[in-house]
Amino acid sequence: MISRGFTSNELGQLNNFAVEPKVYVDETSRVGFTEYAEKLNGRLAMIGFVSMIAVELLSGRSFIGWLTSL
């Protein structure tokens, strides 16, 4: 008998140890053209694009002009 957050021994006594979660192994590959890699690349591209627009708005110059002045 398992009670919420407690386990019981063979005598039916509750103990104070937490119930162990079920362990599983994630077998999906994270190398190559996977969904994970595509989402990560897309998110990084969006951050870069928004940062480029912010640099242009804050400096009042185009991004290429700002790069050549450094």
Side-chain angles (χ1 to χ4, degrees), residues 3-59:
S3 182
R4 186 178 188 133
F6 297 98
T7 60
S8 59
N9 62 11
E10 58 276 353
L11 299 176
Q13 300 168 326
L14 292 176
N15 63 20
N16 294 333
F17 300 108
V19 177
E20 296 272 334
K22 295 193 187 282
V23 179
Y24 68 96
V25 177
D26 188 11
E27 295 288 335
T28 57
S29 173
R30 295 201 176 234
V31 179
F33 293 105
T34 62
E35 184 179 347
Y36 172 78
E38 293 299 319
K39 283 183 181 180
L40 180 63
N41 289 337
R43 289 172 182 161
L44 292 175
M46 287 186 274
I47 290 171
F49 186 73
V50 170
S51 300
M52 182 182 69
I53 291 174
V55 165
E56 288 186 5
L57 289 175
L58 292 174
S59 69

